[in-house]
Amino acid sequence: MSKAPLIAVVDDDEAIREALDDLLMSIGFRCLSFVSAEDFLARADRPGIACIILDVRMPGLSGLELQERLNADGGRRPPIVFMTSYADDTTRMRAMGGGACDVLGKPVDAHILIASLNSAIAAA
């Protein structure tokens, strides 16, 4: 029996992290939550992560800056699905140009998020 995919959630909003954790667990994913990009960089076992759900605007490093750092590392980078309240064209273009699989506006429909995650994991 294979392990369920591990999803990393990087968002400074505790309520969002908890809601995503509940949603992901209810559909069979495993979930690790991180309060910031710095927390993710310090603690994440990146090879075990199937996909990252990443907020754009956070204190400290932004989600886009985290994406740039992961791209610069040159190693395996899990696919990224951005969730943001700031889904303007510039942010969307920057995220997608950096290799993001999707940019979803908050609040996101659970079915759309799940479809995006499944697509990102399948493409990885």
Side-chain angles (χ1 to χ4, degrees), residues 34-104:
F34 301 91
V35 70
S36 67
E38 292 86 352
D39 186 33
F40 176 84
L41 289 170
R43 298 188 314 121
D45 177 19
R46 286 179 242 161
I49 295 172
C51 191
I52 303 168
I53 298 174
L54 183 56
D55 190 13
V56 171
R57 291 194 184 174
M58 297 178 287
L61 284 177
S62 73
L64 293 168
E65 290 168 331
L66 174 58
Q67 179 187 42
E68 290 170 0
R69 286 217 184 162
L70 294 174
N71 287 341
D73 283 350
R76 180 198 170 276
R77 179 186 59 83
I80 295 173
V81 172
F82 279 97
M83 270 185 38
T84 181
S85 298
Y86 306 95
D88 59 86
D89 288 340
T90 302
T91 299
R92 182 177 304 281
M93 287 180 4
R94 186 170 166 199
M96 298 302 285
C101 295
D102 213 342
V103 179
L104 305 174

Side-chain angles (χ1 to χ4, degrees), residues 22-39:
D22 289 345
L23 172 66
L24 295 170
M25 302 276 280
S26 76
I27 59 170
F29 289 115
R30 295 176 298 135
C31 183
L32 278 177
S33 294
F34 301 91
V35 70
S36 67
E38 292 86 352
D39 186 33

